[in-house]
Amino acid sequence: MKYYSTNGNSELVDFREATLKGQAPDKGLYFPVNIPELNASLLSDMYVLSKEEIAYEIMQPYIGSCINKNSLQDIIAETIAFTFPLIQLDEDSYVLELFHGPTLAFKDVGARFMSRCLGYFSKLHSKKTTVLVATSGDTGGAVANGFANVEGVEVIILYPAGKVSPVQELQLTTGGNNITAFRVNGSFDDCQAMVKTAFTDADLNKALQLTSANSINIARWLPQQLYYFFALQQWPEKKISPMVSVPSGNLGNIAAGLLAKKSGLALNKFIAACNINDTISNFLETGKHNAIQTKMTISNAMDVGNPSNLVRIMEIYKSNPDIIKTILKGSTHTDEETADTISSVFRGKGYLLDPHGAVGYAALKKELKEKEKGFFLATAHPVKFPATVETITGIKLEIPDAIKPLYALPQKMTDIEPSFLALKEWLLNR
Ligand SMILES: *Cc1c(COP(=O)(O)O)cnc(C)c1O
């Protein structure tokens, strides 16, 4: 498989090159030259295949000959070594729980896959890769965990001081020796600006093989389509294609779902479930995308005003707005609605949602019509947002076993001012 840049001014590359570069040189996003079509027998066999088998069949065409069969099978097995349960909540709605990975958010899958691919490539080419990533919380934890002790790869994470939750900070700062966490005396936007400048800095690019671990990286983005296959493997309503509601920010997760649908997976419409930082609804109405200044919400992983993966959605549908409109819908939800949803689902069904999943559930219930059924993605465990969830429900959350050992580990972080030069100095002179 070859990948082109969505800006159209970079050379075609293979999977390895696209992963190592992260972003294309013309600052576009990499996209596969063709979307593989699933053959009918794979679709009908899906219910009897293991999740590892189906995952291999889906991912292999995207990787081509860049990773040999046995290694790719191992990488995939490690990537998805936990459960993805689909649970019924109402007559017409189900939840796909994506928070059973080591850092309790769906980003584990992409981070684990990408880290292992980079580890594989660095073994073959003996050049060390430096992964640079800015995080508002969940991405950094998943990346720190996924890349811990992967040989030939070092990871530099920038996070804003005082703006991540205690559990998130533990996940960021207790990683392996190849992980460096910078606590930036500034905002998430400062962190992101430092990282973006680094990718365009000639001195740094000469000295280091730099790549990004955000969902712009193809190796983080592509495996996210697997969730939708795992959901359909468990989908009990064989005669009804499910509506899918995806809590959305940068639109990486939903774009991966649309890719799966385009390959032939029997999914009905998609809902981009957003908080008030919704730019997609307006885009679908007007055909024009306007970036907005982000506002803070209680579903903060979705506080994105200029979603980078919108271009990938456009590519999937060859930029035809009329087709996109028949498949995708936006849905906006305020913090008040989110809190009411967490509260009513907890009281009515004894099921605890995190603020992101709650937006997904509210959007699904709003859009489902009579005779339709669907599922939404629960993208994070409620314990990652204890202050919000405990205030709304009045209960005290238990620390899950996956997190407990972190409290015993020493936290390592380096304080830094929000200055690109300070970061550059450190990277070049250590
Ligand atoms: C990252 C994240 C999202 C948003 O996903 P995108 O792929 O950026 O749209 C939603 N929920 C949680 C918990 C996240 O961490």
Side-chain angles (χ1 to χ4, degrees):
M1 178 73 77
K2 294 281 188 210
Y3 294 85
Y4 63 89
S5 164
T6 52
N7 281 354
N9 283 317
S10 297
E11 284 179 17
L12 293 185
V13 294
D14 62 9
F15 174 78
R16 173 183 165 272
E17 186 94 18
T19 301
L20 289 174
K21 285 213 164 77
Q23 198 167 35
D26 64 4
K27 302 203 168 61
L29 269 60
Y30 281 118
F31 196 84
V33 291
N34 67 293
I35 298 174
E37 261 180 54
L38 300 165
N39 67 38
S41 69
L42 182 65
L43 289 169
S44 56
D45 287 349
M46 202 159 69
Y47 306 98
V48 295
L49 294 177
S50 69
K51 70 182 195 303
E52 288 77 13
E53 286 167 324
I54 190 97
Y56 178 81
E57 295 298 329
I58 302 310
M59 293 306 293
Q60 204 290 323
Y62 289 100
I63 315 302
S65 56
C66 289
I67 300 178
N68 70 44
K69 182 171 182 182
N70 283 342
S71 300
L72 184 58
Q73 283 173 329
D74 290 347
I75 289 172
I76 286 172
E78 285 179 25
T79 298
I80 56 173
F82 39 87
T83 56
F84 301 82
L86 182 76
I87 295 164
Q88 185 162 24
L89 281 191
D90 303 312
E91 222 286 293
D92 60 358
S93 46
Y94 294 72
V95 51
L96 182 70
E97 293 186 346
L98 298 181
F99 51 72
H100 295 277
T103 72
L104 312 179
F106 79 88
K107 294 190 173 77
D108 279 324
V109 166
R112 289 163 76 82
F113 186 74
M114 179 182 162
S115 63
R116 282 153 182 82
C117 290
L118 279 187
Y120 178 88
F121 296 142
S122 79
K123 251 185 243 145
L124 293 181
H125 303 280
S126 73
K127 184 162 184 200
K128 186 170 180 171
T129 306
T130 302
V131 174
L132 203 52
V133 66
T135 184
S136 57
D138 284 335
T139 296
V143 168
N145 184 285
F147 283 80
N149 306 317
V150 173
E151 265 178 56
V153 184
E154 67 163 352
V155 178
I156 319 277
I157 300 171
L158 281 74
Y159 71 96
K163 296 192 180 69
V164 301
S165 80
V167 168
Q168 287 174 329
E169 187 158 34
L170 270 178
Q171 292 175 332
L172 290 168
T173 55
T174 55
N177 292 330
N178 60 332
I179 315 284
T180 303
F182 278 113
R183 181 165 61 185
V184 178
N185 182 19
S187 66
F188 168 67
D189 288 324
D190 292 327
C191 299
Q192 189 145 40
M194 290 162 78
V195 166
K196 284 199 169 149
T197 311
F199 286 129
T200 56
D201 185 83
D203 299 332
L204 282 181
N205 280 291
K206 215 162 113 199
L208 304 165
Q209 163 91 53
L210 279 182
T211 192
S212 124
N214 292 98
S215 60
I216 56 169
N217 194 303
I218 202 89
R220 243 202 73 186
W221 179 60
L222 289 172
Q224 295 189 39
Q225 62 183 308
L226 298 175
Y227 310 139
Y228 303 86
F229 289 87
F230 300 159
L232 267 220
Q233 282 186 308
Q234 302 169 73
W235 183 246
E237 318 273 354
K238 297 284 180 284
K239 293 205 170 64
I240 304 176
S241 294
M243 178 105 90
V244 187
S245 170
V246 185
S248 291
N250 239 333
L251 300 173
N253 201 351
I254 197 166
L258 292 166
L259 186 71
K261 179 176 166 66
K262 186 76 182 172
S263 293
L265 193 64
L267 300 166
N268 191 352
K269 289 184 186 157
F270 275 73
I271 308 160
C274 298
N275 61 32
I276 53 168
N277 295 291
D278 177 3
T279 57
I280 189 88
S281 290
N282 184 54
F283 167 76
L284 291 169
E285 262 163 45
T286 64
K288 288 201 187 67
H289 184 257
N290 294 314
I292 57 165
Q293 189 71 39
T294 32
K295 299 174 211 76
M296 281 176 73
T297 73
I298 57 171
S299 48
N300 62 354
M302 314 198 308
D303 294 351
V304 179
N306 190 12
S308 29
N309 286 288
L310 181 61
V311 289
R312 287 200 170 120
I313 295 178
M314 301 288 284
E315 290 304 311
I316 294 170
Y317 298 105
K318 308 261 185 275
S319 302
N320 185 331
D322 295 331
I323 298 180
I324 297 178
K325 267 191 233 171
T326 62
I327 292 164
L328 180 62
K329 208 171 163 6
S331 187
T332 317
H333 301 270
T334 62
D335 275 357
E336 199 182 353
E337 278 179 87
T338 307
D340 286 349
T341 304
I342 293 174
S343 167
S344 68
V345 172
F346 181 65
R347 278 185 285 109
K349 306 174 201 301
Y351 187 84
L352 198 55
L353 288 162
D354 96 292
H356 306 80
V359 174
Y361 179 76
L364 181 66
K365 293 308 271 187
K366 194 173 119 198
E367 296 301 331
L368 277 177
K369 311 252 161 34
E370 218 183 311
K371 297 216 179 82
E372 290 181 331
K373 298 186 189 239
F375 65 88
F376 69 99
L377 310 188
T379 46
H381 193 295
V383 81
K384 292 197 92 171
F385 308 94
T388 307
V389 174
E390 289 179 353
T391 308
I392 293 167
T393 58
I395 59 163
K396 182 98 189 99
L397 295 176
E398 283 231 12
I399 306 287
D401 290 342
I403 301 295
K404 278 183 193 153
L406 298 185
Y407 286 87
L409 297 174
Q411 284 189 250
K412 285 178 297 180
M413 74 283 265
T414 303
D415 286 302
I416 190 171
E417 287 306 309
S419 130
F420 167 67
L421 287 177
L423 176 66
K424 179 171 173 177
E425 180 97 338
W426 187 91
L427 285 168
L428 293 178
N429 299 323
R430 55 203 154 127

